[in-house]
Amino acid sequence: MTTAAARRYLMCRPTHFAVTYRINPWMDPTAPYDNALAVSQWENLRQTFLDLGHTVDLIEPLPGLPDMVFAANGATVVGGKVLAVQFRDAERADEGPAYKAWFESAGFETVDSKHTNEGEGDILLAGDVLLAGTGFRTAHAAHAQVQEVFGRPVITLQLVDPAYYHLDTALCVLDERNVAYLPSAFSPGSQAVLRQLFPDAVIATPEDAEVLGLNAVSDGRTVVLPVQATALTAALQAAGYRTVGVDVSELRKAGGGPKCCTLEVRS
Ligand code: ARG
């Protein structure tokens, strides 16, 4: 475990949150959802980050973009450099330019994505390397651009379970050296790569993953994760991490958890 540093996060209030289309197996447009509850759960997540000493910037939510709350998909930001995104689905396409514009007005250098690339949903910084998921959303071809833009080694990980369609639903970076993940969400070759890179990884149970427990946000010391992920919480504590449980069950109806709502802005 490394020392926790104060982080800077970008979030988007779920003012227009809704489940009106289905682009992942969690979404059921015929099922009820509660926008007011989604907003209060999200406010609690934001307050949790503030209480931990982190900075939270906010991007203006746009009407007609019900998934815009999932800020992790808005960009990948490493060393002050921003790789903009290109969504797979037309329903989310307009979020890409909105997030890019936010970074431009905040003074960041931005680069356009040449391929389907869903940002930190699939691209996670782990120490000196970037872990990059593919199989459902971010195209394999995008990984080469990620390596070129950030000048860091990119490790491709093949996702195989449609329920865990973004890398951040199947793997959480805990600190510079360690991760937690659900092995069955990855191809056999990718599981072997993960075992080699992270021999001491925290292995999640299927029950943890089913409540999107791995969609967690770590500052290196404290892991903010869904309160429903009880076995993972215990395993993280046994590995020496502090945990804070949050309930974002309403956002889970769109297939997102705490990490999906949180884009790390690394200067
Ligand atoms: N409904 C959104 C989608 O399917 C959820 C995005 C979750 N974001 C994430 N980083 N895993 O695109």
Side-chain angles (χ1 to χ4, degrees), residues 3 12 14 18 27 33-34 44 66 83 144 166 172 177 221 225 232 243:
T3 340
C12 180
M27 303 176 87
Y33 61 86
D34 182 339
N44 179 55
L83 179 56
H166 274 143
C172 170
R177 281 177 215 93
R221 176 163 188 264
L225 80 167
L232 183 58
T243 59

Side-chain angles (χ1 to χ4, degrees), residues 19 79 100 116 132 206 234 240:
V19 183
K100 186 186 169 193
T116 299

Side-chain angles (χ1 to χ4, degrees), residues 56 69 75 85 89 106 126 149 187 192 195 217 221 252 260:
V56 178
V69 57
V85 297
D89 299 290
V149 167
S187 67
R195 280 196 303 272
V217 181
R221 176 163 188 264
R252 195 164 75 228
C260 298

Side-chain angles (χ1 to χ4, degrees), residues 34-125:
D34 182 339
N35 178 275
L37 181 56
V39 171
S40 72
Q41 291 180 338
W42 177 93
E43 290 288 0
N44 179 55
L45 175 65
R46 173 170 168 260
Q47 192 57 49
T48 300
F49 291 141
L50 295 174
D51 291 346
L52 287 168
H54 304 311
T55 302
V56 178
D57 287 302
L58 297 177
I59 181 173
E60 187 67 22
L62 297 176
L65 296 175
D67 273 336
M68 194 170 168
V69 57
F70 301 119
N73 300 123
T76 306
V77 191
V78 182
K81 212 170 187 189
V82 178
L83 179 56
V85 297
Q86 193 177 307
F87 283 92
R88 181 195 67 175
D89 299 290
E91 291 89 341
R92 297 196 68 186
D94 290 345
E95 294 179 43
Y99 277 94
K100 186 186 169 193
W102 187 90
F103 279 102
E104 280 171 347
S105 63
F108 287 81
E109 178 197 342
T110 67
V111 178
D112 284 329
S113 196
K114 290 195 263 185
H115 308 276
T116 299
N117 179 329
E118 299 201 356
E120 234 184 23
D122 277 321
I123 316 288
L124 296 172
L125 182 68

